[in-house]
Amino acid sequence: MKPKVFVTREVFDETLDYLAQYCEVESNQQDMPLTAEALAQRLAEKDGVVCCLTDRIDAGLLERCPRLGIVANIAVGYNNIDIAACTARGVMATNTPGVLDDSTADLAWALMLGTARRLTEVESYIRAGEWTGWRLKQWLGVDVHHATLGIIGMGRIGQVIARRASGFEMKVLYCNRRPVANEIERRLSATHVSKDELLAQSDFVILQVPYSPETHHLIGAAELKKMKPTAILINSTRGGVVDDAALVAALRDGTIRGAGLDVFENEPRLHPGFLELKNIVLAPHIGSSTEATRRAMAMTAAKNLVAGLTGGMPSNLLNPEVKEA
Ligand code: GLV
């Protein structure tokens, strides 16, 4: 008998076709986000689940799904999954690293360039029919080229962001729990500094750390005060890494110049202050959202799931202890 699996949100036809070769598949192709209760009901008799960052997989849910053997997240971040609870119940958990590095780095760059050159402000101005002609001092932005870029979190995506900086002849600073290998530093022309030094020296600060209790409000009022008043903050990693209320205040009172944001605390409900500010560029958590990358992410999750359910080793297993037990 084929294992029974549930796909919690809409995916691509080829994802479902692939899964159907190995599993009996139910899916939420209507794409309505499921409540915790609805999710528990849909998963009660399932052997595996392909889920998304909008699904909370915790001890309470696992308790109600005794057959569940694998949770395959369509995301590189997995703060929606309680990994310890999965491990305690012998449930494999997987994510989708690698396939989204370039697209996510591109979006961080788009936010950086868009905020520096005020693209959303000027577009609104044109659409409102307010452009009456060219002026020398109109819509002055700041340069990205030759500026100092500070990357907090130098994992795979941080490194891709840094690699793109060489084309803009930027100085690259980074901080990370541990410095990356000398050879990578050399290749990226990146210098490891303390967080305080990075905040004080950077013209652009990009956050690329995963969200966890340790990174909760990594950037709050105190850190924003350490930044240059001309600096721009980019958050394309996870809401909660930044204290959004503190950021709204800092943008309002000119503590920093601007921000480019793809992720928010409590998204999709934004801090209302963001909507009143002009010196920001906002995006609805689309870091990895290109056609090719989202297809690749969904297929990676499906392959992880099938490997786990057919006795193989999923390529992106987050808790290998479960297989070793
Ligand atoms: C998207 O936010 C991801 O973690 O893949």
Side-chain angles (χ1 to χ4, degrees), residues 228-304:
K228 296 181 182 179
T230 49
I232 287 174
L233 178 72
I234 305 298
N235 187 8
S236 51
T237 183
R238 272 292 182 278
V241 174
V242 176
D243 176 344
D244 282 356
L247 178 58
V248 166
L251 290 166
R252 234 183 233 149
D253 67 20
T255 305
I256 64 169
R257 179 187 173 94
L261 306 170
D262 185 43
V263 289
F264 306 88
E265 288 192 282
N266 308 315
E267 61 189 47
R269 286 183 306 280
L270 267 60
H271 187 295
F274 283 132
L275 300 180
E276 289 157 19
L277 291 164
K278 297 220 183 316
N279 47 342
I280 52 176
V281 173
L282 303 172
H285 202 148
I286 54 162
S288 59
S289 191
T290 67
E291 170 102 26
T293 295
R294 285 282 165 91
R295 282 184 190 277
M297 289 166 69
M299 192 54 95
T300 301
K303 288 190 171 163
N304 282 327

